[in-house]
Amino acid sequence: MAQGIHLDRANFCCSICLDLLKDPVTFSCGHNYCMVCITDHLDAQDDRMIYTCPQCRQKFMQRPAVVKNNMLAFVVGELMKIETPAIPPPPPSPDFDEDQTEHVACDFCQEKAIKSCLQCMVSYCVEHLRPHFEVAPLQKHKLVEASAQLQENICPRHQEVMKLFCRTDQQCICYLCSKDTHKGHNKVSTAAERVERQRELQATQQHIRKTIQDKERDAKWFQQEEDTINRCAEAALRNNENTYNDLMRIIEKSVAEVKEKVTSRRETEVRWYIKVREKLERDVAELNRKDEELKKFSHTEDHTGFLIKYPTLASLSESTEPPPVKARRVGYFEKVSMALSEAKVNLRAIVGEEYAKVSMTVTGVITSNTKEEPFTRADFLHYVCQVTLDPNTANAHLKISGNDKMVTLCL
């Protein structure tokens, strides 16, 4: 029969110990448990006189009776027969690393153990574990993954397996502790407490996963903001460089125009002065020649000849009018230098003022993008606004005054 029907192991597991049902019994509400598991669960609730089903949480004012389910026991037995030959441990995964797993030796042969029994407090290899599947009394024992920490399940005071959990003291206890130091406390089986803690663990895991999703979303948002800041900063730097180049071209063009005008003016002035100087130099040469002639004429001994030639020579001694000469200017192009100095001062003031405004906008952009909290008084003043209080909606013990901007507590 068992070979002709597909049996799902999960459908025949106790919801308390989460293992195959051992000595299955049926609870009053219809749910099935191991005899030992449900008995421990009900024993732990004797002090409260209120009993609940571990699965559906149905409450009973009297201790409910449990009935052995022979049909379910037969089916579980057939299922165990199918699983018995398949005791060897599962094959390791491709990335299995034996050095990273806990190696527990079998207490009989020192081979690697695959299961530990919480009743026997012994770890078994594949061969020595077989009696727990073949011998009926051993089939009721609780098997877990092989562990070297089995001693932690033993009560240090009574040397009994701790199958109960004291919710009052939040610790695992044995049956003798429940009747001694923990008498009257809120106690449940470790399996039932495991179910509760498993639910809490699942809720914690869900909270962690949600927190991870939120933080990943926030990290993605900050990454996008970071990329945006970098992109906008690069654009601002390029714009700053282009603006500087444009200003330099404007200044260079203005400098070239002033240079051209000064050079043209200088050439015009110099040409005029060269022309006048050359005219004066010719006049000087002519006057020197006449001076030599008069010098020779003045030494002649012929009185008659001197008097005859004198009218002609006298006209030679008359000097011609000098050409008009402009008065020398005090400092050529001084106005140009003064204008350039004034332009430099004005340009420096304008550039400083405008770039100060640009710097303020840069600070504002960074503050807004990084969402920094205000810290100083200046930071808080950015959020200043005028508040007007409404006397019609104020509490009876509050007095509004000062143009509806002041409030006083009146008791």
Side-chain angles (χ1 to χ4, degrees):
M1 184 273 295
Q3 286 78 4
I5 302 176
H6 175 70
L7 300 177
D8 189 355
R9 177 187 176 92
N11 294 328
F12 300 94
C13 288
C14 173
S15 59
I16 297 179
C17 65
L18 305 179
D19 204 349
L20 278 177
L21 290 165
K22 299 179 182 63
D23 238 354
V25 294
T26 303
F27 208 54
S28 300
C29 58
H31 293 110
N32 300 300
Y33 303 97
C34 300
M35 172 65 81
V36 175
C37 294
I38 194 61
T39 301
D40 291 342
H41 175 74
L42 295 176
D43 290 343
Q45 295 180 335
D46 283 338
D47 296 335
R48 294 189 300 169
M49 300 302 294
I50 298 179
Y51 303 90
T52 60
C53 172
Q55 189 166 345
C56 66
R57 315 305 295 177
Q58 182 178 347
K59 294 183 179 181
F60 303 92
M61 301 308 296
Q62 296 182 353
R63 181 174 179 131
V66 292
V67 181
K68 184 174 181 179
N69 193 325
N70 294 321
M71 179 61 71
L72 187 58
F74 174 76
V75 174
V76 172
E78 293 297 316
L79 180 61
M80 292 177 65
K81 289 180 182 179
I82 297 175
E83 292 187 343
T84 300
I87 298 176
S93 59
D95 56 350
F96 174 77
D97 188 357
E98 186 174 356
D99 295 336
Q100 296 180 357
T101 61
E102 182 184 13
H103 182 81
V104 180
C106 175
D107 292 321
F108 288 90
C109 63
Q110 299 303 313
E111 292 290 332
K112 184 176 181 179
I114 62 171
K115 292 289 183 178
S116 296
C117 178
L118 296 182
Q119 275 71 27
C120 304
M121 299 306 296
V122 175
S123 297
Y124 299 99
C125 64
V126 174
E127 182 65 25
H128 292 98
L129 181 64
R130 193 174 299 275
H132 276 74
F133 291 91
E134 297 175 349
V135 180
L138 296 179
Q139 292 177 359
K140 301 178 181 180
H141 289 189
K142 173 65 176 177
L143 298 177
V144 296
E145 295 297 327
S147 172
Q149 309 297 329
L150 289 178
Q151 195 61 31
E152 295 181 354
N153 297 324
I154 301 298
C155 174
R157 182 179 178 184
H158 301 106
Q159 297 302 313
E160 295 285 340
V161 178
M162 294 185 292
K163 298 181 179 181
L164 300 176
F165 183 82
C166 178
R167 289 179 173 176
T168 303
D169 296 331
Q170 291 294 303
Q171 66 181 69
C172 295
I173 59 175
C174 67
Y175 179 78
L176 296 178
C177 290
S178 67
K179 302 301 180 181
D180 186 9
T181 56
H182 296 270
K183 185 177 182 179
H185 291 186
N186 182 10
K187 301 178 291 291
V188 294
S189 66
T190 54
E193 183 65 18
R194 166 65 186 274
V195 173
E196 293 294 330
R197 296 298 176 90
Q198 192 75 23
R199 293 194 187 100
E200 296 177 2
L201 181 63
Q202 292 175 354
T204 302
Q205 287 178 317
Q206 293 177 355
H207 177 71
I208 291 176
R209 294 191 186 103
K210 184 179 183 303
T211 303
I212 292 175
Q213 293 177 355
D214 294 341
K215 289 186 179 296
E216 287 179 345
R217 184 178 63 253
D218 293 340
K220 183 178 180 181
W221 182 88
F222 277 103
Q223 180 64 47
Q224 294 175 349
E225 289 297 307
E226 179 184 344
D227 296 339
T228 302
I229 289 175
N230 290 329
R231 184 172 60 254
C232 294
E234 290 296 331
L237 291 175
R238 288 194 300 270
N239 190 19
N240 179 64
E241 188 70 21
N242 294 335
T243 302
Y244 171 79
N245 293 333
D246 292 342
L247 291 175
M248 290 304 298
R249 282 193 292 269
I250 294 173
I251 294 175
E252 289 175 355
K253 181 179 178 181
S254 300
V255 170
E257 290 178 354
V258 173
K259 181 179 179 181
E260 181 181 359
K261 291 183 179 181
V262 170
T263 302
S264 176
R265 184 64 180 174
R266 180 186 65 181
E267 292 175 353
T268 301
E269 292 289 335
V270 168
R271 280 197 303 269
W272 188 88
Y273 278 97
I274 290 175
K275 180 179 179 181
V276 173
R277 178 176 56 78
E278 291 177 348
K279 177 64 170 61
L280 292 175
E281 289 176 351
R282 288 195 299 271
D283 290 344
V284 169
E286 181 65 21
L287 292 174
N288 286 332
R289 184 184 62 78
K290 290 183 180 182
D291 182 60
E292 288 296 328
E293 289 182 2
L294 290 177
K295 183 177 180 181
K296 292 179 181 180
F297 181 70
S298 64
H299 291 89
T300 183
E301 297 180 354
D302 185 0
H303 302 296
T304 303
F306 177 85
L307 294 174
I308 293 173
K309 294 180 179 180
Y310 177 76
T312 304
L313 294 176
S315 61
L316 293 176
S317 61
E318 296 178 0
S319 60
T320 59
E321 293 293 333
V325 180
K326 294 182 179 179
R328 183 178 182 277
R329 299 174 183 176
V330 180
Y332 294 100
F333 302 105
E334 285 186 355
K335 291 184 177 181
V336 175
S337 300
M338 293 173 61
L340 288 174
S341 298
E342 184 178 356
K344 181 176 69 173
V345 173
N346 294 336
L347 184 60
R348 179 181 297 172
I350 293 174
V351 171
E353 181 179 353
E354 293 301 323
Y355 269 83
K357 296 178 181 178
V358 173
S359 299
M360 291 180 64
T361 60
V362 172
T363 304
V365 169
I366 294 177
T367 302
S368 61
N369 283 344
T370 54
K371 297 183 178 179
E372 293 181 353
E373 294 293 334
F375 182 74
T376 63
R377 183 175 184 275
D379 295 336
F380 282 101
L381 287 178
H382 288 292
Y383 304 96
V384 171
C385 61
Q386 296 296 327
V387 178
T388 301
L389 305 175
D390 187 1
N392 297 324
T393 59
N395 188 277
H397 296 288
L398 298 179
K399 179 182 179 182
I400 309 299
S401 60
N403 295 328
D404 296 337
K405 295 183 178 181
M406 297 179 62
V407 61
T408 306
L409 178 62
C410 300
L411 298 178

